[in-house]
Amino acid sequence: MKLKLATLALGATMAAAPVMADLVFPSLSYRTGPFAAGGIPFADGYADYFTLLNERDGGIGGEMASVPECETAYNTEKGVECYEATKDSGALIYQPLSTGITYQLIPKVTADGIPLHTMGYGRTSAKNGKVFSHVFNYPVNYWDGASVGVNHFMKQAGGSLEGKKITLLHFNGAYGREPIPTLEALSAKHGFDFNAIPIDYPGQEQKSQWLQIRRERPDFILFWGWGVMNQVAVQEAANIRFPMENFMGIWWSGSENDVIPAGDGANGYKSLQFHNVGNDFPVFDDIQKYVVDAGKAAGAGDQVGTVLYNRGVYAAFLAAEAAKQAQAANGTSAIDASMMRDAMESLEITAATMEAAGLPGFGPEFKVSCENHGGDGLAAVGQWDAASQSWSLISDFEPSDGSVIGPLVDADSAAYAEENKVAMSCN
Amino acid sequence: MPDQLIFGMEVFLNGLMAGVLYALVALGFVLIYKASGIFNYAQGVMALFSALTLVGIMEGQIPFAHLINAIFGTELHHFGWHVPGILAIVLTMAVMVLLAICVQKFVFRHLVGQEPIILFMATIGLAYFLEGVGDLMWGSEIKKLDVGLPQGINLAIDETTFGWFGYGFFIDNLDIVATIIAALLVAVLVIFAQYTKQGRAMRAVADDHQAALSVGVSLNFIWVMVWSVAGFVALVAGIMWGTKSGVQFSLSLIALKALPVLMLGGFTSIPGAIVGGLIIGVGEKLFEFAIGPLVGGATENWFAYVLALIFLVFRPQGLFGEKIIERV
């Protein structure tokens, strides 16, 4: 009996563990819990892109990619457990899709020498690679998002925000409070009134916040929400008849999930995006052919082309491109985390790179360096059309205000360096 | 009239409406606790499960489709029909009754006479089980729920108050409907408990289940009945909250809103759940309005518990709870 159990246990371990020669891209996913509706499409997109590379191209540079999943349920403690459980599997990169988990992993990945990519989330000042050697947040961060949003409102207001009022409606936590310093600085620069209204987790009840908005009548609202908070906010905005074209969410408040429950009332709602939307890209034809139709999709295959699925694909694409560049730079296909980190620090995504991957114009072009782990901070504005039930980009990928964000990044990263005794350097 | 007073009146009215929605969730807890002494941790998940089932039936979704497809390689998703809202509600209620029978037969029947903490732990297990089954049956994507309830600003109130104060009050039509439904629900529950044979039997079981047994009351039947009624209340709460936010797994978190209501109103009183809900709703909204801006806002979650705790200092059994005196 004991022998049988031991054999079963060994078999299970062998089945679960990645083959050590694979390129390992652990996926700290959340397919359960209150945030599953956002976590599932991202995890599916992330896994499906690597499956596509394996099935169509024979892997990356001849090495098969493996994507072991670990369920975090968007819980920080579980996320850290997942990291500890998978880091010795040859992990090349982590993308935890959670600001809370990111904050806990920053010192750990730095000590373990594994790069952490927090694409459009996490600690904004990680853009400074002289302080955060193993943390990358390209192509864009929250402060870029706040700046691009304000720029868009400025254009909408005819070129000036003087005397206008912008309200930040936000998740009452580290994630939601991230853009406040930027918006305060932009308020001083452009002469608009700014106030912030927090919403406590989970955000199912937002009557107080929307009554306040109705009383104060801001000209524009920026919104930093996640999970059920998004759907309720869009519904409440529709209820008080706030003009939807003046209401813009960050990219985590701009998926189909967030607007469909509000029906026609959500029409015209805007959201920042750092990658394109829809499924009109060659890569999705290949995913359909090699992954979904072949029965190898990570999920049900019904999320292809949705905003968060696309984000998962984009995250995997950026990781795969860094792996390719690491292989080229080191002359070996069997790269390790250190090589991956170095490649991420010199990553360049051009139009040609995206075209070659079947993603023409899918995201902004950008270049990473030691001084700049955050890329060029370009974001676009998307708008929801309730009739066609689809998002479309209504602007190009446009730059943020570097003159405001640069000093804020320097100040915050310097404070982190001092607090944690990190010597600033570029290797 | 000063602006702040007018705004305060609007906040007060919205607080009352929010309180009704909290009370709807709290009612389910009260019913089960009153009849069986079980604090049902799964009440929030029951609201989620019922709302998921309702949308699934309305949309003609095939239950366990993903599982069936994964095992048999099929491509099944929908039956191809849509079920009208009323019929879907009736069918969902049938599912909730079936659930009540299963819960009683497979869980609590085997735990009769156990310590309250054991029963509580069983409801925690039930919550996780139901959440998992709900996911397997209906999927985890966010679903739009539309049973025809009106939503958005009530224009009549807006225009009337504008005429009076020069400022139109915002009252959500959905909140008005929820208030009417909650009032009807409470009236029906009170009449049921006071004037029907089954209701009196339920109260007898609540007072002393052994004595009730001795006079021929069937414990099994009463507990199935109570879990079914709690399932119905969960369905009503699931419809109201699901209409606001779409049906999604965070719906189970509405239970968090019920806890301070229960602490304040008492675990054993139906009117207590209503009055407690109203006090919490109004209290948290007025506090957020008056004090929130001074302390950075987002006070509602913690203030509801502080308010409940303040009441507990003076009435540990809650406003309407039964005072338990144990003589040594």
Side-chain angles (χ1 to χ4, degrees):
Chain A
M1 185 62 190
K2 278 185 182 170
L3 182 65
K4 275 184 185 172
L5 280 174
T7 310
L8 275 173
L10 181 64
T13 309
M14 288 173 71
V19 179
M20 289 308 286
D22 286 352
L23 302 178
V24 182
F25 301 87
S27 173
L28 306 192
S29 60
Y30 37 99
R31 294 179 180 276
T32 62
F35 299 99
I40 289 170
F42 184 92
D44 286 354
Y46 195 71
D48 286 353
Y49 186 76
F50 286 114
T51 305
L52 171 68
L53 297 184
N54 287 342
E55 296 299 314
R56 185 189 62 189
D57 306 339
I60 302 169
E63 299 283 347
M64 298 301 270
S66 130
V67 186
E69 270 200 44
C70 185
E71 172 69 33
T72 71
Y74 198 66
N75 175 294
T76 299
E77 289 79 15
K78 283 187 187 171
V80 173
E81 283 172 19
C82 281
Y83 170 77
E84 295 293 346
T86 54
K87 70 177 185 183
D88 294 328
S89 62
L92 292 176
I93 183 175
Y94 281 91
Q95 306 201 44
L97 199 64
S98 153
T99 294
I101 296 173
T102 297
Y103 270 70
Q104 294 302 314
L105 292 190
I106 286 174
K108 289 178 179 292
V109 295
T110 307
D112 294 333
I114 304 172
L116 180 69
H117 185 200
T118 61
M119 187 180 71
Y121 63 93
R123 185 169 188 131
T124 301
S125 62
K127 183 181 176 80
N128 185 353
K130 288 186 285 186
V131 175
F132 298 93
S133 59
H134 286 74
V135 188
F136 298 82
N137 55 6
Y138 53 75
V140 73
N141 59 52
Y142 290 137
W143 296 352
D144 294 320
S147 172
V148 172
V150 167
N151 287 343
H152 181 82
F153 287 150
M154 190 149 60
K155 271 188 203 163
Q156 203 175 322
S160 171
L161 287 171
E162 195 74 40
K164 301 285 185 191
K165 182 166 190 174
I166 296 180
T167 289
L168 172 71
L169 184 67
H170 67 92
F171 175 83
N172 190 28
Y175 151 61
R177 286 193 286 263
E178 275 278 335
I180 291 177
T182 310
L183 289 168
E184 285 171 345
L186 290 168
S187 161
K189 180 174 178 177
H190 296 295
F192 62 82
D193 288 336
F194 166 70
N195 73 325
I197 302 178
I199 308 169
D200 264 334
Y201 170 84
Q204 266 160 333
E205 226 308 294
Q206 299 179 20
K207 200 65 84 191
S208 291
Q209 288 78 9
W210 286 95
L211 286 176
Q212 187 179 345
I213 286 169
R214 191 165 175 269
R215 289 194 298 270
E216 295 175 351
R217 299 183 182 279
D219 297 286
F220 301 102
I221 298 176
L222 277 172
F223 175 48
W224 253 246
W226 186 226
V228 67
M229 193 173 289
N230 290 348
Q231 295 87 47
V232 174
V234 172
Q235 181 64 61
E236 292 287 5
N239 286 350
I240 70 161
R241 300 181 170 187
F242 189 84
M244 282 296 179
E245 66 276 13
N246 295 354
F247 182 24
M248 184 191 295
I250 187 66
W251 34 76
W252 301 115
S253 308
S255 73
E256 292 80 359
N257 289 335
D258 304 324
V259 282
I260 286 174
D264 291 343
N267 190 49
Y269 170 69
K270 289 174 178 169
S271 165
L272 292 154
Q273 300 289 352
F274 56 85
H275 55 77
N276 224 310
V277 294
N279 59 2
D280 194 16
F281 295 90
V283 75
F284 294 117
D285 297 334
D286 284 353
I287 286 176
Q288 190 67 40
K289 179 179 170 188
Y290 291 98
V291 182
V292 179
D293 292 347
K296 294 184 172 165
D302 56 356
Q303 298 287 318
V304 179
T306 62
V307 169
L308 291 172
Y309 183 91
N310 286 12
R311 195 159 300 159
V313 167
Y314 188 54
F317 156 72
L318 294 178
E321 290 306 312
K324 284 179 196 170
Q325 294 192 20
Q327 289 172 331
N330 292 281
T332 175
S333 59
I335 56 170
D336 61 20
S338 167
M339 296 172 190
M340 183 76 175
R341 191 214 78 89
D342 293 347
M344 289 171 73
E345 198 162 72
S346 58
L347 183 67
E348 184 169 8
I349 298 295
T350 63
T353 322
M354 290 184 278
E355 177 98 35
L359 291 160
F362 194 74
E365 293 181 89
F366 65 90
K367 184 166 176 21
V368 187
S369 66
C370 168
E371 292 79 9
N372 179 7
H373 277 195
D376 301 328
L378 294 150
V381 176
Q383 190 164 33
W384 176 250
D385 178 36
S388 63
Q389 298 273 288
S390 64
W391 285 97
S392 56
L393 295 190
I394 57 169
S395 81
D396 294 330
F397 291 102
E398 292 174 350
S400 57
D401 188 341
S403 68
V404 168
I405 293 168
L408 291 171
V409 168
D410 290 343
D412 192 73
S413 55
Y416 178 89
E418 190 180 340
E419 191 181 325
N420 294 279
K421 309 282 183 284
V422 177
M424 288 199 216
S425 68
C426 272
N427 299 322
Chain B
M1 197 179 283
D3 284 352
Q4 288 303 307
L5 186 58
I6 295 170
F7 294 153
M9 287 162 60
E10 183 189 33
V11 169
F12 178 85
L13 287 174
N14 275 279
L16 285 177
M17 304 282 179
V20 169
L21 283 170
Y22 301 162
L24 269 180
V25 186
L27 265 180
F29 284 95
V30 168
L31 284 168
I32 291 179
Y33 190 83
K34 198 173 160 63
S36 58
I38 297 171
F39 179 79
N40 180 23
Y41 181 85
Q43 188 65 31
V45 183
M46 282 169 64
L48 163 69
F49 182 80
S50 62
L52 280 172
T53 304
L54 176 62
V55 178
I57 291 172
M58 285 177 74
E59 298 297 319
Q61 207 180 330
I62 297 174
F64 301 106
H66 289 326
L67 193 64
I68 294 167
N69 293 341
I71 294 171
F72 300 106
T74 50
E75 280 295 326
L76 302 171
H77 294 289
H78 290 89
F79 289 114
W81 64 62
H82 288 266
V83 177
I86 295 294
L87 179 58
I89 288 172
V90 172
L91 292 172
T92 304
M93 201 44 236
V95 173
M96 296 309 286
V97 171
L98 188 64
L99 176 70
I101 293 169
C102 291
V103 165
Q104 178 55 24
K105 185 166 182 180
F106 298 117
V107 184
F108 292 107
R109 192 173 171 183
H110 305 285
L111 297 176
V112 172
Q114 295 291 328
E115 294 290 320
I117 189 66
I118 305 285
L119 303 175
F120 174 65
M121 298 296 278
T123 67
I124 293 178
L126 179 64
Y128 282 107
F129 175 76
L130 269 185
E131 205 167 271
V133 169
D135 190 352
L136 275 177
M137 274 181 88
W138 307 112
S140 54
E141 66 273 20
I142 298 171
K143 300 167 180 71
K144 180 174 169 57
L145 174 59
D146 184 2
V147 291
L149 298 179
Q151 260 191 296
I153 187 168
N154 185 292
L155 290 174
I157 293 174
D158 181 38
E159 285 164 13
T160 307
T161 48
F162 189 83
W164 291 345
F165 309 116
Y167 173 79
F169 284 10
F170 174 83
I171 303 288
D172 192 341
N173 280 316
L174 182 66
D175 290 344
I176 296 173
V177 172
T179 305
I180 295 167
I181 289 175
L184 287 173
L185 195 62
V186 171
V188 169
L189 285 174
V190 169
I191 291 168
F192 172 75
Q194 299 291 338
Y195 301 109
T196 66
K197 187 179 168 189
Q198 287 79 10
R200 282 196 291 267
M202 182 182 85
R203 286 164 54 213
V205 170
D207 280 347
D208 187 333
H209 71 266
Q210 284 177 329
L213 258 180
S214 69
V215 294
V217 174
S218 163
L219 278 186
N220 274 336
F221 173 76
I222 293 299
W223 281 338
V224 166
M225 186 185 73
V226 168
W227 276 82
S228 301
V229 175
F232 178 65
V233 173
L235 174 60
V236 174
I239 290 172
M240 295 303 162
W241 286 93
T243 303
K244 278 165 86 85
S245 62
V247 177
Q248 53 184 300
F249 277 72
S250 54
L251 203 62
S252 60
L253 299 176
I254 57 174
L256 296 174
K257 281 291 182 189
L259 292 182
V261 174
L262 292 167
M263 288 162 67
L264 201 152
F267 282 75
T268 53
S269 166
I270 291 171
I274 300 297
V275 175
L278 295 179
I279 292 174
I280 292 288
V282 169
E284 68 175 24
K285 295 283 180 288
L286 282 178
F287 188 82
E288 175 69 22
F289 170 69
I291 310 294
L294 307 176
V295 296
T299 60
E300 288 167 270
N301 274 7
W302 61 263
F303 182 74
Y305 284 90
V306 170
L307 193 61
L309 287 171
I310 290 170
F311 271 83
L312 284 188
V313 170
F314 300 101
R315 278 190 67 84
Q317 70 273 34
L319 274 180
F320 294 79
E322 290 162 13
K323 194 167 187 175
I324 299 168
I325 300 169
E326 289 188 13
R327 300 186 198 286
V328 180

